Amino acid sequence: MRISISDIAPLREVPTNVRKSVKYGQIAASIAEVGIIEPPVVARDSVDTGRYHLLDGHLRIDILRERGDAEVICLVATEDEAFTYNRRVSRIAIIQEHKMILNAVKKGVPEERLARALNVDIASIRKKRNLLVGICPEAADLLRDKHVPLNAFVDLRRLKPMRQIVAAEMMIAMNRYSTSYVRSIVAGTPDDQLVEGRRKVVRGLTDEQISLMGRESEALDREFKLIEQSYGADHLDLVLATGYVQRLLGNVRVVRHLAKHHADLLSEFQKIAELQRAA
Protein backbone atom coordinates (compact mmCIF):
# COMPACT_ATOMS: atom_id res chain seq x y z
CA MET A 1 0.00 0.00 0.00
CA ARG A 2 1.08 3.59 -0.61
CA ILE A 3 1.06 5.20 2.85
CA SER A 4 1.76 8.73 4.06
CA ILE A 5 5.07 8.80 5.96
CA SER A 6 3.50 11.07 8.58
CA ASP A 7 1.09 8.22 9.44
CA ILE A 8 3.93 5.77 10.19
CA ALA A 9 5.16 5.61 13.79
CA PRO A 10 8.65 4.08 14.23
CA LEU A 11 9.29 1.70 17.11
CA ARG A 12 12.62 3.41 17.85
CA GLU A 13 14.53 6.54 16.96
CA VAL A 14 17.56 6.34 14.65
CA PRO A 15 20.64 7.48 16.66
CA THR A 16 22.85 10.28 15.32
CA ASN A 17 25.89 7.98 15.08
CA VAL A 18 23.91 5.58 12.85
CA ARG A 19 23.07 8.46 10.50
CA LYS A 20 26.83 9.00 10.07
CA SER A 21 27.57 5.31 9.39
CA VAL A 22 28.65 3.79 6.06
CA LYS A 23 25.55 1.58 5.93
CA TYR A 24 23.23 4.59 6.30
CA GLY A 25 25.11 6.42 3.54
CA GLN A 26 24.87 3.41 1.21
CA ILE A 27 21.12 3.06 1.75
CA ALA A 28 20.64 6.80 1.18
CA ALA A 29 22.69 6.66 -2.03
CA SER A 30 20.75 3.62 -3.27
CA ILE A 31 17.39 5.30 -2.62
CA ALA A 32 18.55 8.47 -4.40
CA GLU A 33 19.74 6.51 -7.44
CA VAL A 34 17.21 3.67 -7.87
CA GLY A 35 14.49 4.30 -5.25
CA ILE A 36 13.13 1.92 -2.61
CA ILE A 37 13.94 -1.70 -3.53
CA GLU A 38 12.60 -3.47 -0.43
CA PRO A 39 9.41 -1.85 0.91
CA PRO A 40 9.26 -1.11 4.65
CA VAL A 41 6.94 -3.34 6.70
CA VAL A 42 4.17 -1.80 8.81
CA ALA A 43 1.22 -2.98 10.91
CA ARG A 44 -2.07 -1.13 11.42
CA ASP A 45 -2.71 0.49 14.78
CA SER A 46 -5.36 -1.53 16.66
CA VAL A 47 -7.21 1.64 17.72
CA ASP A 48 -6.65 4.12 14.88
CA THR A 49 -6.72 2.11 11.64
CA GLY A 50 -5.40 5.11 9.74
CA ARG A 51 -2.10 4.93 11.64
CA TYR A 52 0.67 2.36 11.27
CA HIS A 53 3.53 0.99 13.37
CA LEU A 54 6.85 0.49 11.57
CA LEU A 55 8.13 -3.08 12.00
CA ASP A 56 11.04 -3.10 9.57
CA GLY A 57 12.79 -0.36 7.57
CA HIS A 58 13.64 2.30 10.14
CA LEU A 59 16.67 3.55 8.20
CA ARG A 60 14.73 3.71 4.94
CA ILE A 61 11.87 5.68 6.51
CA ASP A 62 14.31 8.02 8.29
CA ILE A 63 16.12 8.71 5.00
CA LEU A 64 12.83 9.39 3.19
CA ARG A 65 11.78 11.82 5.95
CA GLU A 66 15.12 13.63 5.67
CA ARG A 67 14.62 13.85 1.88
CA GLY A 68 11.17 15.36 2.37
CA ASP A 69 9.25 12.51 0.73
CA ALA A 70 5.55 12.43 1.63
CA GLU A 71 4.58 8.83 0.79
CA VAL A 72 6.14 5.39 0.51
CA ILE A 73 4.93 1.99 -0.71
CA CYS A 74 4.85 -0.46 2.23
CA LEU A 75 4.06 -4.06 2.98
CA VAL A 76 1.26 -4.27 5.55
CA ALA A 77 1.70 -7.11 8.04
CA THR A 78 -1.35 -8.86 9.43
CA GLU A 79 0.24 -9.19 12.89
CA ASP A 80 2.18 -6.48 14.70
CA GLU A 81 5.11 -8.65 15.81
CA ALA A 82 8.13 -6.43 16.30
CA PHE A 83 10.80 -8.77 15.01
CA THR A 84 13.34 -8.04 12.30
CA TYR A 85 11.93 -9.21 9.00
CA ASN A 86 15.37 -9.59 7.42
CA ARG A 87 16.82 -11.62 10.30
CA ARG A 88 17.45 -14.62 8.02
CA VAL A 89 19.08 -12.64 5.22
CA SER A 90 22.55 -13.88 4.28
CA ARG A 91 24.78 -10.91 3.59
CA ILE A 92 26.20 -10.93 0.09
CA ALA A 93 29.76 -12.26 -0.25
CA ILE A 94 32.31 -10.33 -2.28
CA ILE A 95 32.42 -12.86 -5.15
CA GLN A 96 28.62 -12.71 -5.40
CA GLU A 97 28.87 -8.91 -5.44
CA HIS A 98 31.50 -9.20 -8.21
CA LYS A 99 29.11 -11.31 -10.33
CA MET A 100 26.27 -8.89 -9.66
CA ILE A 101 28.40 -5.96 -10.86
CA LEU A 102 29.49 -7.89 -13.97
CA ASN A 103 25.84 -8.64 -14.82
CA ALA A 104 24.87 -5.00 -14.31
CA VAL A 105 27.71 -3.76 -16.55
CA LYS A 106 26.85 -6.40 -19.16
CA LYS A 107 23.26 -5.10 -19.23
CA GLY A 108 24.50 -1.59 -19.89
CA VAL A 109 24.48 0.01 -16.43
CA PRO A 110 27.27 2.64 -16.36
CA GLU A 111 30.01 2.15 -13.74
CA GLU A 112 29.40 5.72 -12.55
CA ARG A 113 25.77 4.90 -11.71
CA LEU A 114 26.78 1.73 -9.86
CA ALA A 115 29.27 3.76 -7.83
CA ARG A 116 26.57 6.30 -6.93
CA ALA A 117 24.07 3.56 -6.01
CA LEU A 118 26.56 1.78 -3.75
CA ASN A 119 28.01 5.03 -2.37
CA VAL A 120 31.59 4.11 -3.32
CA ASP A 121 34.16 5.62 -5.65
CA ILE A 122 34.40 4.28 -9.18
CA ALA A 123 37.85 2.78 -8.49
CA SER A 124 36.22 0.41 -5.98
CA ILE A 125 33.66 -0.67 -8.58
CA ARG A 126 36.46 -1.43 -11.06
CA LYS A 127 38.40 -3.42 -8.45
CA LYS A 128 35.33 -5.52 -7.70
CA ARG A 129 34.59 -5.94 -11.39
CA ASN A 130 38.13 -7.32 -11.90
CA LEU A 131 38.10 -9.28 -8.63
CA LEU A 132 38.70 -12.75 -10.12
CA VAL A 133 41.28 -11.75 -12.73
CA GLY A 134 44.25 -14.04 -12.00
CA ILE A 135 42.24 -16.27 -9.64
CA CYS A 136 41.75 -19.87 -10.78
CA PRO A 137 38.11 -21.06 -11.07
CA GLU A 138 38.55 -23.81 -8.45
CA ALA A 139 39.76 -21.34 -5.78
CA ALA A 140 37.01 -18.87 -6.72
CA ASP A 141 34.40 -21.62 -6.36
CA LEU A 142 35.70 -22.54 -2.88
CA LEU A 143 35.44 -18.90 -1.75
CA ARG A 144 32.23 -18.04 -3.62
CA ASP A 145 30.11 -17.57 -0.46
CA LYS A 146 32.84 -16.47 1.95
CA HIS A 147 33.34 -12.93 3.24
CA VAL A 148 36.89 -12.38 1.99
CA PRO A 149 38.39 -8.86 2.01
CA LEU A 150 39.02 -7.31 -1.39
CA ASN A 151 42.78 -6.99 -0.79
CA ALA A 152 43.07 -10.69 0.05
CA PHE A 153 42.48 -11.48 -3.63
CA VAL A 154 45.39 -9.19 -4.54
CA ASP A 155 47.67 -11.46 -2.50
CA LEU A 156 46.08 -14.65 -3.82
CA ARG A 157 47.02 -13.56 -7.35
CA ARG A 158 50.67 -13.93 -6.37
CA LEU A 159 50.17 -17.69 -6.07
CA LYS A 160 50.06 -20.26 -8.83
CA PRO A 161 46.67 -21.97 -9.37
CA MET A 162 47.36 -25.13 -7.33
CA ARG A 163 48.68 -23.06 -4.42
CA GLN A 164 45.61 -20.79 -4.65
CA ILE A 165 43.41 -23.86 -4.16
CA VAL A 166 45.47 -24.98 -1.15
CA ALA A 167 45.32 -21.45 0.30
CA ALA A 168 41.52 -21.34 -0.13
CA GLU A 169 41.20 -24.74 1.59
CA MET A 170 43.37 -23.54 4.48
CA MET A 171 41.28 -20.38 4.87
CA ILE A 172 38.07 -22.45 5.02
CA ALA A 173 39.55 -25.03 7.40
CA MET A 174 40.76 -22.31 9.79
CA ASN A 175 37.68 -20.12 9.19
CA ARG A 176 40.03 -17.18 8.72
CA TYR A 177 39.65 -14.88 5.71
CA SER A 178 41.64 -11.81 6.75
CA THR A 179 44.19 -10.16 4.48
CA SER A 180 46.91 -10.69 7.09
CA TYR A 181 46.24 -14.45 7.14
CA VAL A 182 46.41 -14.67 3.34
CA ARG A 183 49.68 -12.73 3.41
CA SER A 184 51.10 -15.19 5.93
CA ILE A 185 50.22 -18.04 3.53
CA VAL A 186 51.91 -16.18 0.68
CA ALA A 187 54.97 -15.50 2.85
CA GLY A 188 55.24 -19.22 3.63
CA THR A 189 54.92 -20.26 -0.01
CA PRO A 190 58.01 -21.63 -1.82
CA ASP A 191 59.25 -19.53 -4.75
CA ASP A 192 58.36 -22.24 -7.28
CA GLN A 193 54.68 -21.89 -6.31
CA LEU A 194 54.61 -18.13 -6.83
CA VAL A 195 53.60 -16.46 -10.07
CA GLU A 196 56.70 -15.46 -11.99
CA GLY A 197 57.63 -11.84 -11.41
CA ARG A 198 55.61 -11.56 -8.19
CA ARG A 199 58.25 -11.80 -5.49
CA LYS A 200 57.32 -11.85 -1.84
CA VAL A 201 57.63 -8.53 -0.03
CA VAL A 202 57.29 -9.12 3.71
CA ARG A 203 58.30 -6.22 5.90
CA GLY A 204 60.24 -6.97 9.07
CA LEU A 205 61.11 -10.59 8.16
CA THR A 206 64.52 -11.92 7.23
CA ASP A 207 65.11 -14.52 4.51
CA GLU A 208 65.72 -17.11 7.23
CA GLN A 209 62.38 -16.33 8.90
CA ILE A 210 60.56 -16.51 5.56
CA SER A 211 62.21 -19.87 4.87
CA LEU A 212 61.08 -21.11 8.29
CA MET A 213 57.50 -19.96 7.57
CA GLY A 214 57.65 -21.88 4.29
CA ARG A 215 58.64 -25.11 6.06
CA GLU A 216 55.97 -24.62 8.72
CA SER A 217 53.37 -23.93 6.04
CA GLU A 218 54.25 -27.19 4.26
CA ALA A 219 54.01 -29.10 7.55
CA LEU A 220 50.64 -27.48 8.25
CA ASP A 221 49.38 -28.50 4.80
CA ARG A 222 50.31 -32.12 5.52
CA GLU A 223 48.61 -32.02 8.94
CA PHE A 224 45.43 -30.60 7.42
CA LYS A 225 45.27 -33.41 4.89
CA LEU A 226 45.77 -36.07 7.57
CA ILE A 227 43.09 -34.52 9.80
CA GLU A 228 40.70 -34.23 6.87
CA GLN A 229 41.07 -37.95 6.13
CA SER A 230 40.26 -39.05 9.69
CA TYR A 231 37.86 -36.30 10.77
CA GLY A 232 34.62 -38.11 9.87
CA ALA A 233 35.54 -41.34 11.68
CA ASP A 234 36.92 -39.45 14.71
CA HIS A 235 33.76 -37.36 14.99
CA LEU A 236 31.54 -40.46 14.81
CA ASP A 237 33.61 -42.18 17.53
CA LEU A 238 33.34 -39.08 19.71
CA VAL A 239 29.54 -38.89 19.31
CA LEU A 240 29.16 -42.57 20.17
CA ALA A 241 31.48 -42.33 23.18
CA THR A 242 29.72 -39.23 24.50
CA GLY A 243 26.33 -40.91 24.14
CA TYR A 244 27.60 -43.95 26.03
CA VAL A 245 28.93 -41.77 28.87
CA GLN A 246 25.59 -39.98 29.13
CA ARG A 247 23.77 -43.33 29.36
CA LEU A 248 26.15 -44.42 32.13
CA LEU A 249 25.43 -41.25 34.10
CA GLY A 250 21.73 -41.88 33.67
CA ASN A 251 22.07 -45.12 35.67
CA VAL A 252 21.88 -44.46 39.42
CA ARG A 253 23.69 -47.67 40.36
CA VAL A 254 26.59 -46.90 38.02
CA VAL A 255 26.90 -43.35 39.35
CA ARG A 256 26.85 -44.62 42.95
CA HIS A 257 29.59 -47.18 42.15
CA LEU A 258 31.77 -44.58 40.39
CA ALA A 259 31.32 -42.10 43.23
CA LYS A 260 32.44 -44.73 45.75
CA HIS A 261 35.34 -46.32 43.87
CA HIS A 262 36.32 -44.00 40.98
CA ALA A 263 35.44 -40.43 41.96
CA ASP A 264 38.03 -38.97 39.57
CA LEU A 265 36.51 -40.81 36.58
CA LEU A 266 33.00 -39.72 37.58
CA SER A 267 34.16 -36.09 37.64
CA GLU A 268 35.62 -36.38 34.13
CA PHE A 269 32.51 -38.14 32.80
CA GLN A 270 30.32 -35.36 34.21
CA LYS A 271 32.49 -32.73 32.49
CA ILE A 272 32.07 -34.55 29.16
CA ALA A 273 28.29 -34.72 29.63
CA GLU A 274 28.12 -31.00 30.52
CA LEU A 275 30.14 -30.04 27.44
CA GLN A 276 27.81 -32.09 25.24
CA ARG A 277 24.73 -30.41 26.76
CA ALA A 278 26.30 -26.98 26.27
CA ALA A 279 27.00 -27.80 22.60
Side-chain angles (χ1 to χ4, degrees):
M1 291 179 58
R2 184 175 293 277
I3 299 172
S4 173
I5 293 176
S6 61
D7 291 333
I8 300 173
L11 296 180
R12 63 180 184 276
E13 293 295 325
V14 177
T16 303
N17 63 317
V18 172
R19 289 193 177 101
K20 296 178 181 178
S21 66
V22 173
K23 180 182 178 181
Y24 189 93
Q26 288 178 330
I27 295 173
S30 175
I31 290 174
E33 190 63 31
V34 297
I36 290 286
I37 297 172
E38 184 181 357
V41 181
V42 299
R44 288 184 186 275
D45 186 274
S46 57
V47 178
D48 185 354
T49 56
R51 300 280 297 173
Y52 299 85
H53 296 282
L54 180 60
L55 302 183
D56 184 63
H58 283 74
L59 298 189
R60 280 163 276 165
I61 292 295
D62 189 75
I63 290 166
L64 291 174
R65 278 203 178 100
E66 291 291 320
R67 283 162 42 97
D69 289 26
E71 295 180 328
V72 61
I73 292 177
C74 297
L75 295 174
V76 180
T78 55
E79 298 181 13
D80 61 342
E81 295 185 21
F83 66 86
T84 303
Y85 271 70
N86 60 359
R87 61 181 175 172
R88 299 193 186 278
V89 171
S90 297
R91 300 303 170 191
I92 187 168
I94 191 167
I95 289 181
Q96 295 167 338
E97 187 177 350
H98 154 79
K99 292 179 178 179
M100 183 180 70
I101 289 172
L102 282 184
N103 285 334
V105 172
K106 185 178 179 181
K107 292 178 180 178
V109 180
E111 292 178 348
E112 293 80 3
R113 189 180 183 195
L114 284 172
R116 290 195 301 270
L118 298 175
N119 198 35
V120 296
D121 58 62
I122 195 167
S124 177
I125 291 293
R126 287 170 180 165
K127 283 181 181 178
K128 290 177 180 178
R129 184 192 64 191
N130 299 322
L131 181 75
L132 299 183
V133 173
I135 304 296
C136 73
E138 293 81 2
D141 187 60
L142 286 169
L143 299 174
R144 66 185 182 280
D145 57 351
K146 309 301 181 186
H147 294 276
V148 184
L150 183 63
N151 288 333
F153 287 92
V154 176
D155 289 294
L156 283 174
R157 290 190 191 105
R158 296 162 62 186
L159 306 174
K160 288 185 177 179
M162 289 304 298
R163 183 60 177 170
Q164 287 181 7
I165 296 170
V166 171
E169 290 174 342
M170 290 175 65
M171 292 162 69
I172 294 169
M174 295 297 291
N175 195 29
R176 292 182 62 185
Y177 304 99
S178 65
T179 303
S180 59
Y181 183 64
V182 176
R183 285 175 181 168
S184 70
I185 295 175
V186 174
T189 299
D191 289 339
D192 61 351
Q193 296 182 43
L194 289 171
V195 175
E196 188 177 355
R198 293 180 179 266
R199 297 180 60 82
K200 295 190 292 289
V201 180
V202 185
R203 295 179 181 177
L205 294 181
T206 64
D207 291 340
E208 184 179 348
Q209 289 172 321
I210 291 175
S211 178
L212 177 62
M213 288 182 66
R215 293 194 297 272
E216 290 179 347
S217 178
E218 291 175 2
L220 189 61
D221 288 348
R222 290 193 295 270
E223 289 176 14
F224 270 131
K225 289 174 183 177
L226 290 173
I227 292 171
E228 187 178 25
Q229 291 172 2
S230 61
Y231 175 80
D234 290 345
H235 188 264
L236 178 59
D237 290 342
L238 180 61
V239 170
L240 292 173
T242 303
Y244 181 68
V245 167
Q246 288 179 322
R247 288 191 65 187
L248 285 178
L249 296 180
N251 188 310
V252 177
R253 293 176 61 191
V254 171
V255 172
R256 189 182 300 121
H257 176 81
L258 289 174
K260 185 176 180 180
H261 301 286
H262 304 284
D264 53 341
L265 286 178
L266 177 60
S267 176
E268 294 302 317
F269 285 166
Q270 288 172 335
K271 289 178 183 178
I272 292 172
E274 287 172 6
L275 286 173
Q276 180 64 17
R277 283 194 292 270

